[in-house]
Amino acid sequence: DVNTFSLFGLMDYCLTVRGTVGIEAASFGIPVLTAGTGRYDHRGFTIDSESRAQYLARIANIHEIPPLSPAQRALAERFAYAVFVLRPLSLQTVTLEYQRDSKATPRARINALTREDWLNAPDLKAFADWVANPAQVDFLTGDHGRSFGG
């Protein structure tokens, strides 16, 4: 058995299309070469290629790529915190579960007992506020979200 967390101590570089492993590796100071576009490319902590030829040339000379700078690593750590800690939507008003059948059938349960509970639910209000604000790219919980959004 291998714990994937243990691989970060052995890695010199990380190649990914746009998987979350790129966020994790960069937060450990490991240079990440992306082979596609996604939510974290061009954020200052990955090596992003604009063409296939550029990507292949970087791989051919990967041994020349230095570890991430402290500033790049700090960017990756902040991004990881936002994605893995602040972004998940924790619902209390509605519970979404999956049955343990062959189709993992979804089941929603409404926990609000009254109309007022529904209208004043903090989790649904936070989500509705995010949906109503097109300038806010990511849904982030708490006051910290103000510094990561957009």
Side-chain angles (χ1 to χ4, degrees):
D1 293 336
V2 175
N3 180 338
T4 55
F5 180 74
S6 67
L7 298 177
F8 295 117
L10 304 172
M11 294 171 69
D12 292 318
Y13 307 96
C14 175
L15 306 178
T16 183
V17 174
R18 60 178 161 251
T20 56
V21 69
I23 301 168
E24 295 166 309
S27 70
F28 283 96
I30 300 165
V32 175
L33 285 80
T34 61
T37 59
R39 298 291 293 175
Y40 63 89
D41 64 304
H42 295 93
R43 298 280 183 166
F45 59 87
T46 57
I47 301 165
D48 309 300
S49 300
E50 302 307 318
S51 68
R52 181 174 188 232
Q54 185 181 41
Y55 179 73
L56 293 174
R58 285 184 168 145
I59 291 175
N61 296 296
I62 199 167
H63 59 283
E64 297 176 3
I65 298 173
L68 296 186
S69 70
Q72 289 172 307
R73 185 173 177 173
L75 280 173
E77 289 171 350
R78 288 187 3 230
F79 192 87
Y81 181 78
V83 168
F84 299 131
V85 177
L86 297 178
R87 184 190 268 172
L89 173 59
S90 178
L91 292 172
Q92 291 83 35
T93 308
V94 177
T95 304
L96 304 173
E97 299 171 340
Y98 295 91
Q99 295 183 30
R100 294 183 179 207
D101 59 15
S102 63
K103 296 181 181 180
T105 305
R107 180 178 53 195
R109 184 176 68 230
I110 297 174
N111 300 316
L113 300 177
T114 67
R115 182 177 188 275
E116 289 72 32
D117 288 346
W118 182 263
L119 295 174
N120 297 315
D123 54 343
L124 297 182
K125 181 170 177 7
F127 184 73
D129 289 347
W130 172 70
V131 170
N133 184 357
Q136 194 71 20
V137 175
D138 281 317
F139 174 82
L140 301 175
T141 59
D143 292 334
H144 300 295
R146 296 185 202 335
S147 62
F148 289 98

